[in-house]
Amino acid sequence: MRTIAIFNLKGGVGKTMTTAAMADCLAADHGKRVLLIDADAQGNLSQYFGAEAEDGSDLLALLQGENEHYYPDFVTPARKGIDIIPAGMSLMYADVDAIKDGRCNINAIEDLRGAIAEDAARGESGAYDYILIDCPPAFSAASSAALTAADAVIIPIRLDAFSTSGMAELITQVSAMRRINERLCVAGVLATQYQRTPEEDLAFNLLRKNTVLPICTSKIRQSSRVSAATFACESLLSFSPHCGAAKDYRKFVQEFLDREGPING
Ligand SMILES: Nc1ncnc2c1ncn2[C@@H]1O[C@H](COP(=O)(O)OP(=O)(O)OP(=O)(O)O)[C@@H](O)[C@H]1O
Ligand SMILES: [Mg+2]
């Protein structure tokens, strides 16, 4: 099992859409079992998968718990092969509690990951192949818990005029992430909302040449079908399988799987 956090301190770069599209592609095309964790109080991923953050059975409850949890209590079935631990605005209490009296279990997702891995080792049915965590554009209690548990991080970016200077900031972000979890690796920096302009192509080529971070070969094209799929609360891959973004996410997931190598062995 692999745990991947989708992280960038910059807002609106496609973290939530990348998390969702990866889950849909891993489940529908590759037959993987995926647990999604919404670590963002905006709750966009939860809304998209039709899951409500509820008292006692969401990420806040998991982070507020002191002891071992029976993790299925926190999990809501979402789509075929995909479950989710939802979040909503109440997740901000994890930060409030952490600031006020340190009452937040930053190891909660790591413990959950351990419990899932034990179940998988016992051969229990329904074990997850991937945990994908949609992070907020901030270091918060929830994103710290996500990074503590993650094997790797995927960093979506936009290819705008600031992306080359933004790389230095990204490298600083990665150092900060490694203060939380020193074994964290960067699985890939993924360009999203790509518009095929000469400027974006130039920015992409400069990034690939000049940065120490691994830049994914795949780029995700901008497509109006993405917004339409979120309104419909449907998987982009089934809602609009032939749009550029759906095709690109499929390519990206294949690239990700090729780089990761086989899991569970
Ligand atoms: N490939 C795409 N084509 C068109 N629109 C996109 C694409 N990817 C994302 N979007 C849109 O861009 C907006 C931001 O995407 P998203 O919510 O995934 O970003 P985010 O990084 O999670 O944002 P935040 O930092 O606020 O959590 C959304 O309205 C989404 O529908
Ligand atoms: Mg988001």
Side-chain angles (χ1 to χ4, degrees), residues 60-84:
L60 176 66
L62 188 79
L63 294 175
Q64 285 178 329
E66 304 276 323
N67 303 313
E68 289 219 348
H69 299 285
Y70 181 58
Y71 67 85
D73 287 350
F74 299 88
V75 165
T76 306
R79 292 179 190 150
K80 191 165 179 277
I82 305 175
D83 293 341
I84 185 168

PDB file of all heavy atoms in Angstrom, residues 60-84:
ATOM      1  N   LEU A  60     -11.849  15.162  11.254  1.00  0.00           N
ATOM      2  CA  LEU A  60     -11.707  15.854  12.537  1.00  0.00           C
ATOM      3  C   LEU A  60     -11.758  14.851  13.688  1.00  0.00           C
ATOM      4  O   LEU A  60     -10.924  14.881  14.593  1.00  0.00           O
ATOM      5  CB  LEU A  60     -12.822  16.899  12.704  1.00  0.00           C
ATOM      6  CG  LEU A  60     -12.816  17.598  14.067  1.00  0.00           C
ATOM      7  CD1 LEU A  60     -11.557  18.443  14.236  1.00  0.00           C
ATOM      8  CD2 LEU A  60     -14.059  18.459  14.247  1.00  0.00           C
ATOM      9  N   ALA A  61     -12.736  13.951  13.641  1.00  0.00           N
ATOM     10  CA  ALA A  61     -12.875  12.963  14.722  1.00  0.00           C
ATOM     11  C   ALA A  61     -11.627  12.089  14.805  1.00  0.00           C
ATOM     12  O   ALA A  61     -11.155  11.769  15.903  1.00  0.00           O
ATOM     13  CB  ALA A  61     -14.118  12.102  14.471  1.00  0.00           C
ATOM     14  N   LEU A  62     -11.098  11.726  13.647  1.00  0.00           N
ATOM     15  CA  LEU A  62      -9.887  10.895  13.638  1.00  0.00           C
ATOM     16  C   LEU A  62      -8.724  11.643  14.304  1.00  0.00           C
ATOM     17  O   LEU A  62      -7.990  11.087  15.119  1.00  0.00           O
ATOM     18  CB  LEU A  62      -9.526  10.530  12.198  1.00  0.00           C
ATOM     19  CG  LEU A  62      -8.401   9.517  12.049  1.00  0.00           C
ATOM     20  CD1 LEU A  62      -8.908   8.106  12.305  1.00  0.00           C
ATOM     21  CD2 LEU A  62      -7.799   9.580  10.650  1.00  0.00           C
ATOM     22  N   LEU A  63      -8.579  12.943  13.961  1.00  0.00           N
ATOM     23  CA  LEU A  63      -7.456  13.724  14.506  1.00  0.00           C
ATOM     24  C   LEU A  63      -7.646  14.031  15.991  1.00  0.00           C
ATOM     25  O   LEU A  63      -6.673  14.244  16.708  1.00  0.00           O
ATOM     26  CB  LEU A  63      -7.304  15.048  13.734  1.00  0.00           C
ATOM     27  CG  LEU A  63      -6.891  14.927  12.269  1.00  0.00           C
ATOM     28  CD1 LEU A  63      -6.899  16.293  11.591  1.00  0.00           C
ATOM     29  CD2 LEU A  63      -5.499  14.306  12.139  1.00  0.00           C
ATOM     30  N   GLN A  64      -8.903  14.067  16.434  1.00  0.00           N
ATOM     31  CA  GLN A  64      -9.149  14.379  17.841  1.00  0.00           C
ATOM     32  C   GLN A  64      -9.004  13.155  18.743  1.00  0.00           C
ATOM     33  O   GLN A  64      -8.932  13.285  19.952  1.00  0.00           O
ATOM     34  CB  GLN A  64     -10.555  14.967  18.023  1.00  0.00           C
ATOM     35  CG  GLN A  64     -10.647  16.408  17.549  1.00  0.00           C
ATOM     36  CD  GLN A  64     -12.048  16.973  17.679  1.00  0.00           C
ATOM     37  OE1 GLN A  64     -13.028  16.242  17.575  1.00  0.00           O
ATOM     38  NE2 GLN A  64     -12.139  18.273  17.884  1.00  0.00           N
ATOM     39  N   GLY A  65      -8.972  11.974  18.131  1.00  0.00           N
ATOM     40  CA  GLY A  65      -8.894  10.740  18.926  1.00  0.00           C
ATOM     41  C   GLY A  65      -7.501  10.550  19.485  1.00  0.00           C
ATOM     42  O   GLY A  65      -6.509  10.931  18.870  1.00  0.00           O
ATOM     43  N   GLU A  66      -7.445   9.961  20.664  1.00  0.00           N
ATOM     44  CA  GLU A  66      -6.156   9.772  21.333  1.00  0.00           C
ATOM     45  C   GLU A  66      -5.610   8.379  21.021  1.00  0.00           C
ATOM     46  O   GLU A  66      -4.416   8.184  20.863  1.00  0.00           O
ATOM     47  CB  GLU A  66      -6.340   9.857  22.857  1.00  0.00           C
ATOM     48  CG  GLU A  66      -6.987  11.140  23.322  1.00  0.00           C
ATOM     49  CD  GLU A  66      -5.986  12.263  23.478  1.00  0.00           C
ATOM     50  OE1 GLU A  66      -4.873  11.960  23.918  1.00  0.00           O
ATOM     51  OE2 GLU A  66      -6.301  13.417  23.134  1.00  0.00           O
ATOM     52  N   ASN A  67      -6.532   7.435  20.967  1.00  0.00           N
ATOM     53  CA  ASN A  67      -6.098   6.035  20.958  1.00  0.00           C
ATOM     54  C   ASN A  67      -6.314   5.405  19.592  1.00  0.00           C
ATOM     55  O   ASN A  67      -6.688   6.070  18.643  1.00  0.00           O
ATOM     56  CB  ASN A  67      -6.883   5.248  22.012  1.00  0.00           C
ATOM     57  CG  ASN A  67      -6.700   5.878  23.364  1.00  0.00           C
ATOM     58  OD1 ASN A  67      -5.574   6.181  23.744  1.00  0.00           O
ATOM     59  ND2 ASN A  67      -7.795   6.126  24.046  1.00  0.00           N
ATOM     60  N   GLU A  68      -6.097   4.108  19.559  1.00  0.00           N
ATOM     61  CA  GLU A  68      -6.296   3.378  18.304  1.00  0.00           C
ATOM     62  C   GLU A  68      -7.768   3.433  17.906  1.00  0.00           C
ATOM     63  O   GLU A  68      -8.655   3.356  18.740  1.00  0.00           O
ATOM     64  CB  GLU A  68      -5.881   1.926  18.506  1.00  0.00           C
ATOM     65  CG  GLU A  68      -4.395   1.799  18.646  1.00  0.00           C
ATOM     66  CD  GLU A  68      -3.852   0.580  17.949  1.00  0.00           C
ATOM     67  OE1 GLU A  68      -4.653  -0.285  17.560  1.00  0.00           O
ATOM     68  OE2 GLU A  68      -2.627   0.524  17.798  1.00  0.00           O
ATOM     69  N   HIS A  69      -7.989   3.590  16.624  1.00  0.00           N
ATOM     70  CA  HIS A  69      -9.358   3.662  16.133  1.00  0.00           C
ATOM     71  C   HIS A  69      -9.673   2.425  15.331  1.00  0.00           C
ATOM     72  O   HIS A  69      -8.790   1.801  14.764  1.00  0.00           O
ATOM     73  CB  HIS A  69      -9.519   4.839  15.168  1.00  0.00           C
ATOM     74  CG  HIS A  69      -9.233   6.146  15.781  1.00  0.00           C
ATOM     75  ND1 HIS A  69     -10.105   6.756  16.631  1.00  0.00           N
ATOM     76  CD2 HIS A  69      -8.189   6.977  15.650  1.00  0.00           C
ATOM     77  CE1 HIS A  69      -9.594   7.909  17.003  1.00  0.00           C
ATOM     78  NE2 HIS A  69      -8.427   8.058  16.422  1.00  0.00           N
ATOM     79  N   TYR A  70     -10.945   2.137  15.257  1.00  0.00           N
ATOM     80  CA  TYR A  70     -11.408   1.154  14.296  1.00  0.00           C
ATOM     81  C   TYR A  70     -11.688   1.960  13.032  1.00  0.00           C
ATOM     82  O   TYR A  70     -12.708   2.642  12.927  1.00  0.00           O
ATOM     83  CB  TYR A  70     -12.655   0.463  14.835  1.00  0.00           C
ATOM     84  CG  TYR A  70     -13.198  -0.599  13.917  1.00  0.00           C
ATOM     85  CD1 TYR A  70     -12.396  -1.676  13.525  1.00  0.00           C
ATOM     86  CD2 TYR A  70     -14.490  -0.521  13.438  1.00  0.00           C
ATOM     87  CE1 TYR A  70     -12.874  -2.637  12.668  1.00  0.00           C
ATOM     88  CE2 TYR A  70     -14.985  -1.496  12.586  1.00  0.00           C
ATOM     89  CZ  TYR A  70     -14.170  -2.540  12.203  1.00  0.00           C
ATOM     90  OH  TYR A  70     -14.645  -3.484  11.343  1.00  0.00           O
ATOM     91  N   TYR A  71     -10.739   1.941  12.081  1.00  0.00           N
ATOM     92  CA  TYR A  71     -10.788   2.927  11.002  1.00  0.00           C
ATOM     93  C   TYR A  71     -12.055   2.867  10.129  1.00  0.00           C
ATOM     94  O   TYR A  71     -12.496   3.898   9.641  1.00  0.00           O
ATOM     95  CB  TYR A  71      -9.516   2.889  10.138  1.00  0.00           C
ATOM     96  CG  TYR A  71      -9.306   1.655   9.315  1.00  0.00           C
ATOM     97  CD1 TYR A  71      -9.888   1.537   8.064  1.00  0.00           C
ATOM     98  CD2 TYR A  71      -8.522   0.612   9.780  1.00  0.00           C
ATOM     99  CE1 TYR A  71      -9.700   0.394   7.307  1.00  0.00           C
ATOM    100  CE2 TYR A  71      -8.333  -0.530   9.029  1.00  0.00           C
ATOM    101  CZ  TYR A  71      -8.925  -0.637   7.794  1.00  0.00           C
ATOM    102  OH  TYR A  71      -8.755  -1.755   7.043  1.00  0.00           O
ATOM    103  N   PRO A  72     -12.685   1.661   9.951  1.00  0.00           N
ATOM    104  CA  PRO A  72     -13.901   1.692   9.119  1.00  0.00           C
ATOM    105  C   PRO A  72     -14.982   2.646   9.652  1.00  0.00           C
ATOM    106  O   PRO A  72     -15.840   3.083   8.891  1.00  0.00           O
ATOM    107  CB  PRO A  72     -14.372   0.231   9.141  1.00  0.00           C
ATOM    108  CG  PRO A  72     -13.108  -0.557   9.346  1.00  0.00           C
ATOM    109  CD  PRO A  72     -12.306   0.281  10.304  1.00  0.00           C
ATOM    110  N   ASP A  73     -14.917   3.012  10.940  1.00  0.00           N
ATOM    111  CA  ASP A  73     -15.906   3.953  11.490  1.00  0.00           C
ATOM    112  C   ASP A  73     -15.830   5.327  10.828  1.00  0.00           C
ATOM    113  O   ASP A  73     -16.769   6.108  10.898  1.00  0.00           O
ATOM    114  CB  ASP A  73     -15.669   4.159  12.999  1.00  0.00           C
ATOM    115  CG  ASP A  73     -16.088   2.945  13.807  1.00  0.00           C
ATOM    116  OD1 ASP A  73     -16.722   2.045  13.217  1.00  0.00           O
ATOM    117  OD2 ASP A  73     -15.757   2.899  15.004  1.00  0.00           O
ATOM    118  N   PHE A  74     -14.680   5.648  10.243  1.00  0.00           N
ATOM    119  CA  PHE A  74     -14.479   6.989   9.698  1.00  0.00           C
ATOM    120  C   PHE A  74     -14.672   7.043   8.185  1.00  0.00           C
ATOM    121  O   PHE A  74     -14.574   8.095   7.577  1.00  0.00           O
ATOM    122  CB  PHE A  74     -13.054   7.476  10.033  1.00  0.00           C
ATOM    123  CG  PHE A  74     -12.816   7.561  11.509  1.00  0.00           C
ATOM    124  CD1 PHE A  74     -12.355   6.462  12.212  1.00  0.00           C
ATOM    125  CD2 PHE A  74     -13.109   8.722  12.200  1.00  0.00           C
ATOM    126  CE1 PHE A  74     -12.166   6.529  13.578  1.00  0.00           C
ATOM    127  CE2 PHE A  74     -12.932   8.799  13.565  1.00  0.00           C
ATOM    128  CZ  PHE A  74     -12.459   7.693  14.255  1.00  0.00           C
ATOM    129  N   VAL A  75     -14.902   5.875   7.601  1.00  0.00           N
ATOM    130  CA  VAL A  75     -14.838   5.740   6.145  1.00  0.00           C
ATOM    131  C   VAL A  75     -16.243   5.706   5.541  1.00  0.00           C
ATOM    132  O   VAL A  75     -17.111   4.998   6.037  1.00  0.00           O
ATOM    133  CB  VAL A  75     -14.068   4.433   5.803  1.00  0.00           C
ATOM    134  CG1 VAL A  75     -14.278   4.044   4.366  1.00  0.00           C
ATOM    135  CG2 VAL A  75     -12.585   4.604   6.116  1.00  0.00           C
ATOM    136  N   THR A  76     -16.451   6.494   4.478  1.00  0.00           N
ATOM    137  CA  THR A  76     -17.727   6.500   3.755  1.00  0.00           C
ATOM    138  C   THR A  76     -17.494   5.920   2.356  1.00  0.00           C
ATOM    139  O   THR A  76     -16.576   6.369   1.661  1.00  0.00           O
ATOM    140  CB  THR A  76     -18.236   7.961   3.577  1.00  0.00           C
ATOM    141  OG1 THR A  76     -18.285   8.580   4.856  1.00  0.00           O
ATOM    142  CG2 THR A  76     -19.605   8.010   2.936  1.00  0.00           C
ATOM    143  N   PRO A  77     -18.297   4.927   1.923  1.00  0.00           N
ATOM    144  CA  PRO A  77     -18.151   4.444   0.539  1.00  0.00           C
ATOM    145  C   PRO A  77     -18.520   5.565  -0.436  1.00  0.00           C
ATOM    146  O   PRO A  77     -19.490   6.283  -0.211  1.00  0.00           O
ATOM    147  CB  PRO A  77     -19.161   3.297   0.437  1.00  0.00           C
ATOM    148  CG  PRO A  77     -19.568   2.989   1.842  1.00  0.00           C
ATOM    149  CD  PRO A  77     -19.371   4.237   2.648  1.00  0.00           C
ATOM    150  N   ALA A  78     -17.715   5.726  -1.508  1.00  0.00           N
ATOM    151  CA  ALA A  78     -17.948   6.852  -2.427  1.00  0.00           C
ATOM    152  C   ALA A  78     -18.300   6.351  -3.826  1.00  0.00           C
ATOM    153  O   ALA A  78     -19.443   6.479  -4.271  1.00  0.00           O
ATOM    154  CB  ALA A  78     -16.730   7.755  -2.459  1.00  0.00           C
ATOM    155  N   ARG A  79     -17.340   5.803  -4.534  1.00  0.00           N
ATOM    156  CA  ARG A  79     -17.581   5.225  -5.861  1.00  0.00           C
ATOM    157  C   ARG A  79     -17.001   3.821  -5.859  1.00  0.00           C
ATOM    158  O   ARG A  79     -16.263   3.465  -4.932  1.00  0.00           O
ATOM    159  CB  ARG A  79     -16.906   6.068  -6.953  1.00  0.00           C
ATOM    160  CG  ARG A  79     -17.550   7.440  -7.104  1.00  0.00           C
ATOM    161  CD  ARG A  79     -16.879   8.316  -8.161  1.00  0.00           C
ATOM    162  NE  ARG A  79     -17.421   9.665  -8.049  1.00  0.00           N
ATOM    163  CZ  ARG A  79     -16.761  10.766  -8.352  1.00  0.00           C
ATOM    164  NH1 ARG A  79     -15.530  10.716  -8.843  1.00  0.00           N
ATOM    165  NH2 ARG A  79     -17.324  11.947  -8.197  1.00  0.00           N
ATOM    166  N   LYS A  80     -17.256   3.061  -6.920  1.00  0.00           N
ATOM    167  CA  LYS A  80     -16.771   1.670  -6.952  1.00  0.00           C
ATOM    168  C   LYS A  80     -15.245   1.649  -6.744  1.00  0.00           C
ATOM    169  O   LYS A  80     -14.513   2.314  -7.479  1.00  0.00           O
ATOM    170  CB  LYS A  80     -17.125   1.049  -8.314  1.00  0.00           C
ATOM    171  CG  LYS A  80     -16.909  -0.428  -8.356  1.00  0.00           C
ATOM    172  CD  LYS A  80     -17.600  -1.059  -9.560  1.00  0.00           C
ATOM    173  CE  LYS A  80     -17.355  -2.548  -9.613  1.00  0.00           C
ATOM    174  NZ  LYS A  80     -16.084  -2.911 -10.216  1.00  0.00           N
ATOM    175  N   GLY A  81     -14.814   0.951  -5.703  1.00  0.00           N
ATOM    176  CA  GLY A  81     -13.379   0.843  -5.416  1.00  0.00           C
ATOM    177  C   GLY A  81     -12.813   2.021  -4.646  1.00  0.00           C
ATOM    178  O   GLY A  81     -11.614   2.061  -4.363  1.00  0.00           O
ATOM    179  N   ILE A  82     -13.675   3.001  -4.323  1.00  0.00           N
ATOM    180  CA  ILE A  82     -13.183   4.222  -3.658  1.00  0.00           C
ATOM    181  C   ILE A  82     -14.005   4.519  -2.398  1.00  0.00           C
ATOM    182  O   ILE A  82     -15.230   4.618  -2.464  1.00  0.00           O
ATOM    183  CB  ILE A  82     -13.279   5.453  -4.598  1.00  0.00           C
ATOM    184  CG1 ILE A  82     -12.545   5.196  -5.914  1.00  0.00           C
ATOM    185  CG2 ILE A  82     -12.726   6.695  -3.911  1.00  0.00           C
ATOM    186  CD1 ILE A  82     -12.701   6.312  -6.944  1.00  0.00           C
ATOM    187  N   ASP A  83     -13.305   4.643  -1.278  1.00  0.00           N
ATOM    188  CA  ASP A  83     -13.930   5.120  -0.038  1.00  0.00           C
ATOM    189  C   ASP A  83     -13.291   6.454   0.319  1.00  0.00           C
ATOM    190  O   ASP A  83     -12.219   6.792  -0.185  1.00  0.00           O
ATOM    191  CB  ASP A  83     -13.673   4.136   1.111  1.00  0.00           C
ATOM    192  CG  ASP A  83     -14.375   2.792   0.900  1.00  0.00           C
ATOM    193  OD1 ASP A  83     -15.326   2.732   0.098  1.00  0.00           O
ATOM    194  OD2 ASP A  83     -13.957   1.807   1.534  1.00  0.00           O
ATOM    195  N   ILE A  84     -13.961   7.176   1.214  1.00  0.00           N
ATOM    196  CA  ILE A  84     -13.422   8.503   1.594  1.00  0.00           C
ATOM    197  C   ILE A  84     -13.612   8.764   3.084  1.00  0.00           C
ATOM    198  O   ILE A  84     -14.622   8.356   3.664  1.00  0.00           O
ATOM    199  CB  ILE A  84     -14.090   9.628   0.741  1.00  0.00           C
ATOM    200  CG1 ILE A  84     -13.463  10.993   1.035  1.00  0.00           C
ATOM    201  CG2 ILE A  84     -15.593   9.679   0.941  1.00  0.00           C
ATOM    202  CD1 ILE A  84     -13.856  12.091   0.035  1.00  0.00           C
TER     203      ILE A  84
END
